[in-house]
Amino acid sequence: MQESSQLDPHIVTSLSIALTQGRLLLFTLERTGGWCIQAITLALAPDDDGWVWPLPVVRANLAPMQKRPNQPVPTDAAGFYASRRGEQVTSLLMSRLAPILPEPKGLRVLGLGYAQPVLAQWDALAMAHWVASAQLDTPLTRRRNDESPQTGLWPACLVAPDCLPFDDLSIDLVVLVHGLELVDPHPLLRMIWKVLADHGRLVLIVPNRTGLAAKDDTLPFGHGTPFSSGQLDRVLQRALFRIEHCSTGLSGPLRLLSLGERAGLAGDRIFSLLGRRLGGVHLITACKDLYSGMPVEAERAALNFTRRVTTLAGSASGYSDLSRGPLSGSGNAKA
């Protein structure tokens, strides 16, 4: 087996093609000492006789294992996204999020939670009519990184989860990052419903309970309460939101980023084929379900009661007896 210092991008491309034709087994083996097999991948494809034969599609990289320093646990989201690893994680998220983002031309866009890194890598956001950032008042998202080049691109403010300082129906698109897992989701989604226009969209990035990202406390997604796919669907349905598109991101081991961003992107695409339940984070696009609370047909009374018209006792004394007709009172007065 031939050795190489890094994964060949042409071989990784052939791997993605082999996935559409057969089944895949991906092995990443590591040892505490000696030699390390960093990446070896086999694709299983059926032959003409119906047998399944292993086909090597990625060469193994054999090298003396170096002791990796422990990743520091970020004190907040600002410190994490200011690091090199934070930039790589944002790039992985945008590679999966870009296909499902709506066209921002002429829209009023609000980044909620800690969405500045995602908004900064959205190139089409320059066509938006209005962009603002609102950081949630939580220990993870409260601090703003003043040294970041993203600071000052849009107006920013610090908000409470249950009180957003925006007019009702004034926002066309809300991008929520590091929000639902850190606070009570129901008041926050209620406030988003109020400020979101009837034709507006909600984009969510939420850690998956069964994914790898929620179990890594060196990531901001490893803090708070993650959601499974079923839990997130029920929370959005209860808040009168309807899911339009759902996918996953950060599905593969983030240690693949040490081999390069291409290896990280390829691993993320490969592991995303395992389904939504094993994704690292949920990527959701939802809209307001305006008709979920309306009855299908008009409600009818169970019993048919006759309608009675009553008058007040004090007001009835000033009028003549209505049972005698409208002219009876005037005839008595002449008499």
Tab-separated table of all heavy atoms in Angstrom, residues 310-331:
chain	number	residue	atom	x	y	z
A	310	THR	N	-83.877	40.298	26.117
A	310	THR	CA	-84.327	40.831	27.401
A	310	THR	C	-83.952	42.291	27.502
A	310	THR	O	-83.052	42.781	26.816
A	310	THR	CB	-83.684	40.055	28.559
A	310	THR	OG1	-82.268	40.156	28.458
A	310	THR	CG2	-84.097	38.587	28.518
A	311	THR	N	-84.683	43.027	28.350
A	311	THR	CA	-84.398	44.436	28.602
A	311	THR	C	-84.164	44.638	30.083
A	311	THR	O	-84.605	43.837	30.917
A	311	THR	CB	-85.566	45.317	28.150
A	311	THR	OG1	-86.752	44.899	28.836
A	311	THR	CG2	-85.779	45.201	26.648
A	312	LEU	N	-83.444	45.709	30.389
A	312	LEU	CA	-83.212	46.034	31.785
A	312	LEU	C	-84.486	46.534	32.440
A	312	LEU	O	-85.323	47.193	31.819
A	312	LEU	CB	-82.126	47.092	31.899
A	312	LEU	CG	-80.739	46.677	31.379
A	312	LEU	CD1	-79.770	47.840	31.491
A	312	LEU	CD2	-80.221	45.466	32.135
A	313	ALA	N	-84.654	46.244	33.728
A	313	ALA	CA	-85.893	46.628	34.425
A	313	ALA	C	-86.026	48.139	34.518
A	313	ALA	O	-87.110	48.694	34.357
A	313	ALA	CB	-85.910	46.004	35.821
A	314	GLY	N	-84.928	48.847	34.743
A	314	GLY	CA	-85.006	50.297	34.872
A	314	GLY	C	-85.347	50.983	33.566
A	314	GLY	O	-86.090	51.960	33.529
A	315	SER	N	-84.812	50.493	32.453
A	315	SER	CA	-85.083	51.126	31.164
A	315	SER	C	-86.462	50.785	30.640
A	315	SER	O	-87.056	51.537	29.877
A	315	SER	CB	-84.014	50.707	30.158
A	315	SER	OG	-84.047	49.293	29.985
A	316	ALA	N	-87.027	49.658	31.047
A	316	ALA	CA	-88.347	49.260	30.540
A	316	ALA	C	-89.456	50.095	31.150
A	316	ALA	O	-90.542	50.221	30.572
A	316	ALA	CB	-88.601	47.784	30.843
A	317	SER	N	-89.260	50.710	32.302
A	317	SER	CA	-90.334	51.486	32.934
A	317	SER	C	-90.623	52.769	32.187
A	317	SER	O	-91.693	53.324	32.307
A	317	SER	CB	-89.939	51.801	34.388
A	317	SER	OG	-88.720	52.561	34.403
A	318	GLY	N	-89.671	53.294	31.412
A	318	GLY	CA	-89.884	54.532	30.693
A	318	GLY	C	-90.578	54.357	29.365
A	318	GLY	O	-90.809	55.351	28.666
A	319	TYR	N	-90.885	53.153	28.965
A	319	TYR	CA	-91.531	52.869	27.683
A	319	TYR	C	-92.928	52.333	27.924
A	319	TYR	O	-93.267	51.800	28.980
A	319	TYR	CB	-90.726	51.847	26.874
A	319	TYR	CG	-89.367	52.371	26.460
A	319	TYR	CD1	-88.249	52.149	27.266
A	319	TYR	CD2	-89.215	53.078	25.270
A	319	TYR	CE1	-87.013	52.623	26.897
A	319	TYR	CE2	-87.969	53.553	24.898
A	319	TYR	CZ	-86.881	53.324	25.714
A	319	TYR	OH	-85.658	53.790	25.343
A	320	SER	N	-93.791	52.509	26.921
A	320	SER	CA	-95.149	51.950	26.998
A	320	SER	C	-95.102	50.452	26.784
A	320	SER	O	-94.085	49.895	26.392
A	320	SER	CB	-96.030	52.610	25.932
A	320	SER	OG	-95.473	52.398	24.639
A	321	ASP	N	-96.209	49.841	27.037
A	321	ASP	CA	-96.307	48.403	26.870
A	321	ASP	C	-96.177	48.060	25.394
A	321	ASP	O	-97.002	48.452	24.581
A	321	ASP	CB	-97.648	47.911	27.421
A	321	ASP	CG	-97.696	46.399	27.495
A	321	ASP	OD1	-96.673	45.766	27.133
A	321	ASP	OD2	-98.737	45.868	27.892
A	322	LEU	N	-95.079	47.364	25.038
A	322	LEU	CA	-94.812	47.039	23.641
A	322	LEU	C	-95.777	46.020	23.081
A	322	LEU	O	-95.915	45.893	21.875
A	322	LEU	CB	-93.372	46.520	23.510
A	322	LEU	CG	-92.274	47.514	23.901
A	322	LEU	CD1	-90.908	46.845	23.743
A	322	LEU	CD2	-92.368	48.779	23.078
A	323	SER	N	-96.493	45.280	23.933
A	323	SER	CA	-97.426	44.265	23.437
A	323	SER	C	-98.669	44.869	22.817
A	323	SER	O	-99.386	44.215	22.081
A	323	SER	CB	-97.812	43.328	24.586
A	323	SER	OG	-98.472	44.066	25.602
A	324	ARG	N	-98.982	46.162	23.118
A	324	ARG	CA	-100.179	46.790	22.563
A	324	ARG	C	-99.952	47.405	21.190
A	324	ARG	O	-100.894	47.900	20.590
A	324	ARG	CB	-100.647	47.885	23.515
A	324	ARG	CG	-101.012	47.370	24.894
A	324	ARG	CD	-101.503	48.512	25.752
A	324	ARG	NE	-101.854	48.053	27.090
A	324	ARG	CZ	-102.316	48.850	28.043
A	324	ARG	NH1	-102.465	50.155	27.794
A	324	ARG	NH2	-102.603	48.365	29.237
A	325	GLY	N	-98.729	47.432	20.714
A	325	GLY	CA	-98.480	48.004	19.399
A	325	GLY	C	-97.947	49.405	19.513
A	325	GLY	O	-98.013	50.042	20.569
A	326	PRO	N	-97.425	49.972	18.453
A	326	PRO	CA	-96.796	51.293	18.511
A	326	PRO	C	-97.773	52.435	18.676
A	326	PRO	O	-97.390	53.502	19.119
A	326	PRO	CB	-96.081	51.368	17.152
A	326	PRO	CG	-96.837	50.434	16.267
A	326	PRO	CD	-97.326	49.340	17.131
A	327	LEU	N	-99.090	52.284	18.333
A	327	LEU	CA	-100.038	53.382	18.398
A	327	LEU	C	-100.902	53.367	19.640
A	327	LEU	O	-101.700	54.270	19.851
A	327	LEU	CB	-100.939	53.367	17.163
A	327	LEU	CG	-100.209	53.503	15.818
A	327	LEU	CD1	-101.230	53.417	14.673
A	327	LEU	CD2	-99.428	54.815	15.762
A	328	SER	N	-100.830	52.321	20.411
A	328	SER	CA	-101.727	52.213	21.568
A	328	SER	C	-101.382	53.256	22.622
A	328	SER	O	-102.240	53.815	23.289
A	328	SER	CB	-101.650	50.808	22.177
A	328	SER	OG	-100.302	50.526	22.556
A	329	GLY	N	-100.098	53.523	22.772
A	329	GLY	CA	-99.706	54.493	23.791
A	329	GLY	C	-100.153	55.894	23.433
A	329	GLY	O	-100.572	56.667	24.287
A	330	SER	N	-100.104	56.276	22.147
A	330	SER	CA	-100.502	57.634	21.753
A	330	SER	C	-101.985	57.838	21.859
A	330	SER	O	-102.466	58.920	22.210
A	330	SER	CB	-100.065	57.898	20.282
A	330	SER	OG	-100.666	56.922	19.434
A	331	GLY	N	-102.793	56.772	21.628
A	331	GLY	CA	-104.250	56.911	21.769
A	331	GLY	C	-104.633	57.131	23.212
A	331	GLY	O	-105.533	57.906	23.503
